[in-house]
Amino acid sequence: MGFRPFVFNLAKKLGLKGYVRNAGLNACVLLDSLNYNFIESILKNFEVLEFNIEALPYKKAVLEELKSGYFWEGFKIFKSIKDTKLSLNLPLDFATCKGCMQDATNPNSRFFNYAFCACAKCGPRYSLIKSLPYDRSSTTMSDFTMCKECLKEYESPTDRRFHTELISCETCGMKLKLIESKKLDFKSELDILKRAAMLLKEGKILALKGITGYALICDAKNLESVLRLRALKHRKTKPIALMAEVSTIDKLVRLDLKLRAILLGQSSPMVIAPKLKNLAPQMQAILKEISPNNTLAITRPFSAHLSLLFSFLPDYVLCFTSANLKGAHIAKSAKELKGLEVDGVLTYNRVLTQSLDDSIVCISGDFLRGIRFSRGIAPFSMKLKSIESKSLIAAFGAHSKTSLTFLQGDECISSPYISNLDSLENIEHLRNTFLHFCALFGKPTILVCDANSSYESTKLAKSLALESNIKLLEIYHHHAHFIALCMEAKVAKNENVLAFIWDGSGLGLDLKLWGGEVFSGSLDRVQDIKRVFHFKYFYLMRNEASIKDAQKTTFFMFKSLGVKIKNFNFENENILEALFDKRLNLIESSSLGRIFDVVAFMLGLVSVSEYEGQSGELIASLASKGNTFLHSPYSYKLTKDEIDLKEMFEGIAKDLDSKEKCFIANRFLDTLADIALNITLWMGQKKAAFGGGVFLNMLLCEKIQRQFKTRGLEVFFPFLPSGDYSISIGQAGYAALLESKEAKV
């Protein structure tokens, strides 16, 4: 972002000759002499990011001393070219920078009250790209011809908008539009925002076009509006994300220094933070309707048009959730809003080529954790340590909360989050993302997918492989999780890794539903990764509706494990008994996600799961009301390769008669932390890695980290979302390892 202007001005200052140009998404600098002051100034003074996340990609300078003696007079910015060497990185959709936010509110600025002001620091945008290299002509900004003033700043080396492809102003740029039942004439853009604010104050729900897609917004303190929004989203109890000015956010949640820095930084994602405990009763009731948990997902107005809207909504808190029909991807055009009964649409006339949800991050112990990678963080590029491929590999991920990954050389890039593939719209979105990546990076020669043939991602990969006669590889779900962990942790190829992969479910080698596994292995023997422990198998009903029924799951789990509990009654027990005796429509599973469902059912938190991870969220929220530091695990048994929780369930049932539920919730999480510790000690390991959706439960992660520290052991929790987002990364790594001559297959 702004690298060419920075280099241009630095070279002029140092009296250097040569040029700078874009080559794809890389920057190429040619000088008439090797100047270390120049290089040192770049490394010291050029701001790549406002905050530093170790997991985010970085590029090292490559120095080449040319033999040729011909150079140009002075220093110039040359026209961009396509990069002959493929580089797997793409621009991110960052928040509007502080300087442009100030310009939008400064009466002396020509960008005063302009909703789309931008400079070099605001960066390029993935959501606008049509092709590479990244120039205005290859984005949807090509629809807007620069006026004289903008062109002057674009061409001025001393201006911070020098070569800013997003530059525009009220004269030549985007126009806001408000669509509602009343037909009103607005004298200015500001009047449109005033009217939108008025509608929100009246309790209306609006669809607002953000920088990467549409959001549904309403007054979070208006209960009627919130309930209408829940009905629109078919979301009975699932938490709703919020947006407010930072001064208001500080009155709702506790932000530590890391979360505050990220919230105020260029990525500006949603952050998950604990609610303040001293809130007024009325506010507590409002926030409980927004989120029944002890945390909130919240962000700030991260663009100029959002900031200007909030100037008419002082101290307001807005619900801010993606605008989409149930099961569909976030809308990027007004056409895709069809079917959503909103009271108005606040939009503008710049086309989005891609739509992205908000990214979500949180803090767990010493670790910054990703919950969802999208706006501002993805497409996510990663430099690889132990893996390299000559081929271009494309991996299609799993079924829920998935992603697409391309890998070549020692780099890989993963798409923004793609929602569950339960709808034709989302399947098509995955396909279109693949085609978009192909247009940017080229056609892959190897495709990789999950071994579960019922996954829509697997069906798509097989179809594309057949259409184009491309090599197709399959890998089992939890093995891909293991490899992704190793890739992010940058372990040596021959390093033995102990990894706990705990999640909802995925097809295992024995064709049973795995989900509570412990693996041991190394990348140089990728086909010999071994499952050393798993939760003892129990029966589940095969169909999804029954799996969501926590009562049925509890019945079959108790029967499978031989749990003996008095006075624990089930509806239709005779029918369930008959199904179990005949093993009708049942499948064996080791899923820890379903174990969470059973504990949540026993605690009276869940009867039918509404959304993925609900049981874990509610158990953690309940546990946080008690003493989370008192380590008091239930009894369990570790046999040769099984973890048997029969005694734990019986202990929970006993405690229900006399103990507080928050105490029981803590003991359950303590048990899981104790299992992780004892298996690590049993295996003689000094450290362990943790992946899978269960480890999005941050309280569990904190308990594990504390227990490991007491024994002097190390833990690794990923910044990559530990759910199925990272599956495609592990799949791509698997293909590269098989291709490598060093892999022992």
Side-chain angles (χ1 to χ4, degrees):
M1 297 176 298
F3 184 73
R4 289 176 300 164
F6 177 86
V7 166
F8 178 89
N9 286 307
L10 178 61
K12 286 282 190 182
K13 182 180 177 181
L14 296 175
L16 300 174
K17 298 175 183 178
Y19 69 76
V20 60
R21 75 181 345 157
N22 279 342
L25 274 171
N26 291 318
C28 175
V29 182
L30 183 64
L31 298 176
D32 63 345
S33 60
L34 189 59
N35 188 301
Y36 287 103
N37 287 335
F38 173 80
I39 296 165
E40 199 172 306
S41 292
I42 290 176
L43 296 176
K44 278 186 177 180
N45 300 315
F46 181 67
E47 293 183 34
V48 179
L49 294 170
E50 285 183 0
F51 62 92
N52 181 46
I53 299 176
E54 288 184 10
L56 287 180
Y58 65 91
K59 290 284 180 186
K60 291 183 178 178
V62 178
L63 305 179
E64 294 182 5
E65 194 167 350
L66 299 185
K67 307 284 185 184
S68 170
Y70 176 78
F71 290 95
W72 298 263
E73 289 187 9
F75 193 90
K76 297 180 180 180
I77 294 181
F78 273 16
K79 187 178 179 181
S80 299
I81 59 170
K82 287 193 174 182
D83 197 355
T84 53
K85 181 181 179 294
L86 180 67
S87 180
L88 297 183
N89 61 90
L90 287 169
L92 303 174
D93 290 87
F94 284 137
T96 303
C97 76
K98 294 175 185 176
C100 287
M101 289 286 204
Q102 289 168 357
D103 284 345
T105 56
N106 179 5
N108 297 319
S109 168
R110 74 182 191 91
F111 297 99
F112 181 51
N113 289 335
Y114 180 54
F116 305 100
C117 55
C119 70
K121 201 171 183 181
C122 299
R125 298 205 182 283
Y126 170 70
S127 60
L128 306 181
I129 285 179
K130 292 188 284 187
S131 62
L132 294 176
Y134 185 87
D135 289 315
R136 193 180 183 98
S137 59
S138 59
T139 73
T140 56
M141 284 301 296
S142 61
D143 296 334
F144 303 92
T145 303
M146 282 183 271
C147 66
K148 288 182 180 179
E149 285 293 318
C150 285
L151 186 60
K152 182 181 176 183
E153 292 185 14
Y154 181 86
E155 293 177 342
S156 173
T158 58
D159 197 286
R160 80 170 201 269
R161 293 184 172 87
F162 181 44
H163 276 258
T164 296
E165 309 302 350
L166 287 178
I167 189 172
S168 65
C169 68
E170 197 170 20
T171 303
C172 62
M174 287 69 72
K175 304 296 181 186
L176 285 171
K177 182 179 181 181
L178 181 63
I179 304 167
E180 57 162 319
S181 56
K182 290 183 180 179
K183 291 187 178 180
L184 302 173
D185 290 325
F186 298 105
K187 293 180 180 179
S188 68
E189 302 272 289
L190 210 59
D191 287 341
I192 293 174
L193 293 171
K194 278 182 185 177
R195 175 62 183 166
M198 181 63 69
L199 291 173
L200 292 168
K201 290 176 181 179
E202 291 173 359
K204 307 297 185 185
I205 296 175
L206 302 182
L208 175 141
K209 188 174 182 179
I211 59 175
T212 60
Y214 280 87
L216 297 178
I217 61 173
C218 71
D219 180 4
K221 296 180 183 179
N222 187 315
L223 180 59
E224 186 179 340
S225 298
V226 173
L227 293 177
R228 274 189 63 213
L229 181 63
R230 285 199 173 281
L232 265 181
K233 293 281 290 183
H234 301 281
R235 186 179 287 186
K236 292 180 181 178
T237 60
K238 187 177 181 180
I240 296 173
L242 300 175
M243 176 179 281
E245 295 282 9
V246 176
S247 58
T248 305
I249 291 174
D250 283 330
K251 298 173 185 176
L252 302 175
V253 296
R254 187 178 74 251
L255 291 176
D256 69 6
L257 292 176
K258 284 183 182 177
L259 279 186
R260 184 178 296 278
I262 292 168
L263 180 65
L264 295 175
Q266 288 172 306
S267 291
S268 192
M270 286 282 173
V271 297
I272 295 181
K275 297 174 184 174
L276 293 177
K277 293 182 178 179
N278 59 345
L279 294 171
Q282 185 181 1
M283 180 56 73
Q284 287 182 24
I286 290 168
L287 294 183
K288 190 171 183 180
E289 183 57 46
I290 298 294
S291 170
N293 307 327
N294 68 325
T295 58
L296 291 175
I298 196 162
T299 191
R300 66 181 175 95
F302 47 77
S303 68
H305 73 311
L306 285 169
S307 184
L308 289 170
L309 175 64
F310 267 86
S311 69
F312 301 109
L313 296 167
D315 299 322
Y316 265 70
V317 181
L318 296 184
C319 292
F320 192 87
T321 184
S322 57
N324 57 292
L325 295 170
K326 186 174 176 61
H329 196 67
I330 179 174
K332 66 177 183 290
S333 67
K335 183 181 177 182
E336 294 172 12
L337 295 172
K338 190 176 180 181
L340 288 172
E341 296 180 8
V342 295
D343 302 307
V345 179
L346 181 59
T347 186
Y348 56 88
N349 60 335
R350 182 172 65 194
V351 174
L352 297 175
T353 60
Q354 305 293 319
S355 58
L356 294 85
D357 275 292
D358 292 308
S359 291
I360 307 174
V361 301
C362 69
I363 297 291
S364 173
D366 298 333
F367 292 87
L368 175 65
R369 303 292 306 281
I371 306 296
R372 184 168 74 197
F373 276 11
S374 203
R375 175 188 57 78
I377 298 179
F380 183 81
S381 297
M382 186 164 64
K383 271 284 192 182
L384 308 175
K385 178 182 177 181
S386 303
I387 292 177
E388 194 164 347
S389 171
K390 292 180 180 178
S391 303
L392 179 59
I393 298 165
F396 285 77
H399 183 80
S400 65
K401 298 180 180 177
T402 191
S403 66
L404 174 83
T405 292
F406 272 36
L407 185 152
Q408 188 171 49
D410 62 349
E411 296 176 314
C412 70
I413 185 167
S414 299
S415 71
Y417 152 91
I418 298 170
S419 190
N420 299 351
L421 302 179
D422 294 324
S423 67
L424 290 174
E425 291 89 348
N426 281 350
I427 297 166
E428 191 62 21
H429 180 69
L430 175 59
R431 183 187 185 92
N432 289 338
T433 302
F434 170 74
L435 295 175
H436 187 54
F437 271 31
C438 287
L440 297 175
F441 302 123
K443 186 178 178 182
T445 54
I446 301 174
L447 304 184
V448 202
C449 63
D450 196 282
N452 190 334
S453 60
S454 69
Y455 280 2
E456 293 298 335
S457 57
T458 300
K459 293 176 185 176
L460 176 59
K462 287 182 175 180
S463 171
L464 291 167
L466 193 62
E467 283 174 18
S468 305
N469 194 27
I470 301 173
K471 181 180 180 181
L472 178 70
L473 297 174
E474 296 181 2
I475 177 175
Y476 284 96
H477 190 92
H478 296 88
H479 287 75
H481 263 307
F482 177 90
I483 295 168
L485 270 178
C486 293
M487 289 167 71
E488 186 184 345
K490 292 183 168 37
V491 300
K493 213 168 192 177
N494 62 352
E495 181 180 344
N496 189 73
V497 176
L498 181 69
F500 293 78
I501 312 296
W502 292 351
D503 62 3
S505 67
L507 189 67
L509 287 168
D510 55 6
L511 303 185
K512 296 174 182 177
L513 288 181
W514 290 9
E517 323 309 312
V518 186
F519 287 96
S520 179
S522 59
L523 293 178
D524 65 345
R525 300 183 65 86
V526 69
Q527 289 187 315
D528 294 329
I529 296 166
K530 293 181 180 178
R531 181 175 71 158
V532 292
F533 277 96
H534 65 89
F535 286 97
K536 188 174 181 179
Y537 284 133
F538 50 87
Y539 281 98
L540 283 176
M541 295 200 75
R542 287 180 180 272
N543 66 79
E544 187 177 346
S546 293
I547 287 176
K548 290 181 178 180
D549 189 327
Q551 180 195 224
K552 290 178 181 177
T553 301
T554 302
F555 175 85
F556 290 120
M557 191 173 294
F558 284 2
K559 291 290 290 184
S560 302
L561 301 181
V563 177
K564 305 294 183 185
I565 298 176
K566 294 179 181 179
N567 303 321
F568 210 94
N569 300 315
F570 297 92
E571 293 178 12
N572 303 314
E573 190 164 347
N574 292 337
I575 296 173
L576 297 176
E577 192 85 48
L579 289 172
F580 182 80
D581 290 342
K582 296 178 181 179
R583 304 298 192 266
L584 287 176
N585 198 31
L586 301 180
I587 187 170
E588 287 184 282
S589 177
S590 58
S591 166
L592 184 53
R594 303 294 72 78
I595 292 169
F596 266 89
D597 289 344
V598 170
V599 174
F601 176 74
M602 295 178 75
L603 291 170
L605 300 174
V606 171
S607 55
V608 177
S609 295
E610 181 195 341
Y611 59 91
E612 192 176 333
Q614 181 182 15
S615 295
E617 284 184 7
L618 294 176
I619 288 171
S621 185
L622 176 62
S624 68
K625 296 176 182 177
N627 185 348
T628 59
F629 289 89
L630 178 66
H631 186 64
S632 179
Y634 287 107
S635 297
Y636 58 89
K637 286 183 179 177
L638 295 180
T639 58
K640 185 175 70 172
D641 63 350
E642 284 187 338
I643 307 160
D644 188 345
L645 296 181
K646 174 180 180 291
E647 293 178 6
M648 182 197 76
F649 286 120
E650 291 172 348
I652 290 173
K654 184 178 178 181
D655 276 353
L656 283 170
D657 293 332
S658 58
K659 305 292 184 182
E660 290 186 352
K661 288 184 177 180
C662 60
F663 175 74
I664 298 169
N666 269 298
R667 289 198 71 188
F668 166 60
L669 297 177
D670 289 340
T671 305
L672 298 180
D674 203 67
I675 288 168
L677 174 65
N678 282 325
I679 287 177
T680 304
L681 293 171
W682 185 325
M683 296 294 296
Q685 295 290 319
K686 297 294 184 183
K687 56 185 175 182
F690 299 84
V694 163
F695 296 110
L696 293 174
N697 187 310
M698 298 307 155
L699 181 55
L700 171 61
C701 296
E702 289 169 15
K703 286 176 177 284
I704 289 171
Q705 193 175 346
R706 279 202 298 269
Q707 290 309 305
F708 273 58
K709 275 187 176 180
T710 61
R711 297 298 189 98
L713 304 178
E714 294 179 36
V715 295
F716 176 78
F717 289 105
F719 174 56
L720 282 164
S722 61
D724 285 356
Y725 178 89
S726 61
I727 288 284
S728 65
I729 297 171
Q731 291 172 344
Y734 172 73
L737 287 164
L738 287 188
E739 183 192 52
S740 170
K741 292 179 182 179
E742 295 177 18
K744 298 176 182 178
V745 297

